[in-house]
């Protein structure tokens, strides 16, 4: 079988809240004549991104072509989850022309690329390219690590220290594995922020990479699809902090699901989420919110203190419930304290 007969796969990686789902929605709406399939890998037991994408399903990417794997890294469960899912997508009645994989924001992409060497799929699929998304404003401000300056100062003061904080390792591994880097939310960063983020990424990249600014996920799909990188054959050019290890761990991060009652004031909840990020170093909050008296479900997504919310669809027959997934480094997850902080914040404004 030639490479032209293989189904190309684009792996879309990037840190928490960098805009991966927004980009995939744009690609689904502009498929360039391709029939797409999507695999979404989330961190946490409640899927949000997969449901967002299914709401955008159409004849070019119907709902049955969108598969979500939650609460587990696909590259850690190759035989049990990843391979069967890929085989299921390849066996659809109408074979997809291209498969998009949205990794968890905590994922290391290189172990996933190694999974494409699995005998069951290697002859039938190829990694067209790895696209790394980076929040331009956050990268420019150095927020991919809790305190980049302190980490660097510590490393310079002690030659025996050669490790990075978990967040910076994730960021560096994603950049090192990429064929193309997209600087997202370029409108928020401005020209100076984009230049600063570009400099950070160029300093981290092991080779020269195309780095393009993007806003609201809008970019010509021809720039992303059809790279023909065959990344599974190019692993040596994609260094990782975890090279030489048999596997990798996600124990640096943890998540908790917080159930809340119906709320009266979305702004109060948004303020509570922002305060939670500021006071407890929460990285990401996402989920659905029931607002009293509103027939529409509210989607809430937060990256650090930046909180966005919008009504996405009617509740219909689904139970009205507020359920949020909270993600942070492992030692910052205190379920009762997190729930109490959110409840208190809403009560103060109720």
């Amino acid at each position: 079988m030639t490479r032209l007969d293989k189904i190309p796969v684009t792996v879309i990686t990037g840190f928490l809240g960098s805009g991966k789902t927004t980009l995939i929605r744009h690609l689904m709406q502009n498929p360039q004549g391709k029939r797409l399939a999507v695999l979404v890998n989330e961190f946490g037991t409640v899927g949000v991104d997969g449901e967002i994408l299914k709401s955008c399903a159409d004849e070019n990417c119907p709902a049955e072509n969108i598969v979500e794997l939650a609460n587990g890294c696909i590259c850690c469960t190759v035989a049990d989850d990843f391979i069967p899912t890929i085989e299921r997508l390849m066996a659809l009645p109408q074979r997809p022309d291209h498969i998009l994989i949205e990794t968890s924001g905590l994922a290391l992409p290189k172990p996933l690329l190694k999974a494409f060497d699995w005998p069951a799929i290697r002859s039938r699929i190829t990694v067209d390219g790895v696209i790394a998304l980076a929040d331009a404003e956050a990268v420019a401000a150095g927020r991919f690590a809790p305190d980049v300056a302190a980490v660097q100062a510590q490393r310079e003061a002690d030659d025996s220290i050669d490790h990075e904080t978990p967040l910076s390792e994730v960021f560096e591994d994603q950049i090192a594995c990429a064929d193309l880097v997209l600087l997202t939310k370029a409108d928020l960063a401005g020209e100076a922020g984009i230049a600063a983020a570009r400099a950070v990424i160029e300093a981290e990249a092991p080779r020269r990479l195309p780095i393009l600014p993007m806003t609201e996920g809008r970019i010509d799909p021809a720039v992303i699809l059809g790279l023909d990188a065959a990344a599974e054959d190019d692993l040596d050019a994609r260094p990782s902090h975890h090279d030489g290890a048999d596997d990798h761990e996600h124990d640096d991060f943890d998540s908790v699901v917080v159930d809340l009652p119906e709320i009266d004031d979305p702004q109060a909840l948004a303020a509570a989420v922002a305060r939670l990020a500021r006071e407890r170093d929460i990285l990401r909050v996402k989920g659905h919110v029931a607002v009293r008296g509103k027939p529409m479900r509210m989607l809430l997504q937060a990256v650090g203190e930046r909180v966005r919310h919008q009504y996405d669809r009617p509740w219909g027959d689904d139970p009205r419930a507020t359920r949020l997934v909270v993600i942070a480094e492992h030692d910052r997850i205190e379920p009762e304290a997190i729930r109490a902080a959110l409840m208190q914040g809403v009560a103060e404004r109720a």
Side-chain angles (χ1 to χ4, degrees):
M1 182 177 288
T2 67
R3 182 172 299 166
L4 292 177
D5 295 320
K6 294 182 178 183
I7 299 177
V9 172
T10 296
V11 176
I12 299 175
T13 186
F15 197 60
L16 299 160
S18 60
K20 299 186 295 295
T21 303
T22 302
L23 172 62
I24 292 178
R25 289 178 66 178
H26 175 71
L27 295 175
M28 290 172 60
Q29 293 162 359
N30 300 274
Q32 307 292 291
K34 298 179 185 293
R35 186 173 179 84
L36 302 177
V38 181
L39 193 164
V40 181
N41 185 211
E42 292 218 59
F43 188 88
T45 57
V46 177
V48 175
D49 296 344
E51 192 165 344
I52 293 172
L53 294 175
K54 285 181 180 179
S55 70
C56 303
D58 58 20
E59 61 181 8
N60 295 305
C61 188
E64 60 267 24
N65 284 33
I66 303 171
V67 180
E68 181 179 21
L69 296 177
N71 198 32
C73 173
I74 49 179
C75 52
C76 295
T77 57
V78 173
D80 294 334
D81 293 318
F82 177 65
I83 299 302
T85 301
I86 289 292
E87 290 182 321
R88 171 182 160 191
L89 292 176
M90 291 190 294
L92 288 167
Q94 287 187 271
R95 189 179 106 148
D97 300 312
H98 205 112
I99 299 174
L100 307 175
I101 296 181
E102 177 186 342
T103 72
S104 157
L106 303 176
L108 304 175
K110 188 169 180 178
L112 175 58
L113 293 190
K114 292 180 180 179
F116 284 92
D117 199 36
W118 196 268
I121 63 170
R122 180 173 175 78
S123 64
R124 296 185 289 161
I125 207 162
T126 183
V127 182
D128 183 69
V130 178
I131 312 299
L133 274 60
D135 183 315
E137 186 181 39
V139 173
R143 289 202 300 268
F144 54 85
D147 189 339
V148 176
V151 171
Q152 185 61 29
Q154 186 179 33
R155 294 180 71 225
E156 292 174 353
D158 187 348
D159 292 337
S160 69
I161 296 177
D162 60 2
H163 61 274
E164 301 284 343
T165 65
L167 296 185
S168 63
E169 284 194 6
V170 172
F171 175 79
E172 291 162 11
D173 274 26
Q174 290 174 349
I175 296 301
C177 202
D179 295 290
L180 172 69
V181 177
L182 298 178
L183 291 175
T184 64
K185 304 171 189 173
D187 55 330
L188 299 178
E191 292 185 6
I194 291 171
R198 185 186 297 272
V200 170
I201 290 169
E202 288 176 343
E204 296 293 352
R207 61 194 181 284
R208 186 175 179 85
L209 291 174
I211 303 173
L212 304 174
M214 180 179 70
T215 297
E216 296 294 335
R218 296 189 298 269
I219 193 166
D220 186 345
V223 175
I224 295 175
L225 306 181
L227 296 181
D228 196 26
E232 70 275 17
D233 296 328
D234 189 35
L235 294 178
D236 289 344
R238 304 166 192 265
S240 166
H241 287 278
H242 297 261
D243 282 341
D246 292 332
D247 54 18
H248 65 281
E249 301 292 338
H250 294 289
D251 292 344
D252 294 320
F253 305 96
D254 204 350
S255 67
V256 62
V257 177
V258 179
D259 292 308
L260 299 172
E262 288 193 0
I263 69 166
D264 294 302
D265 185 353
Q267 295 299 332
L269 179 60
V273 169
R275 185 164 60 249
L276 188 70
R278 183 169 59 252
E279 296 177 353
R280 294 186 173 272
D281 298 324
I282 300 301
L283 303 173
R284 187 84 160 95
V285 180
K286 56 184 178 179
H288 302 118
V289 179
V291 180
R292 199 180 313 278
K294 300 291 185 181
M296 298 283 286
R297 185 182 70 177
M298 192 179 85
L299 172 68
L300 183 145
Q301 301 211 58
V303 183
E305 293 184 55
R306 186 192 299 155
V307 185
R308 300 176 67 176
H309 53 84
Q310 65 188 60
Y311 294 99
D312 65 342
R313 69 168 177 80
W315 283 101
D317 295 329
D318 293 341
R320 292 176 61 91
T322 298
R323 173 165 283 197
L324 302 176
V325 181
V326 180
I327 303 173
E329 292 188 68
H330 184 77
D331 61 357
R332 304 301 293 169
I333 289 289
E334 300 177 45
E336 292 305 317
I338 288 171
R339 187 178 190 281
L342 291 174
M343 287 292 292
Q344 180 183 2
V346 172
E348 288 173 355
R349 298 277 195 93

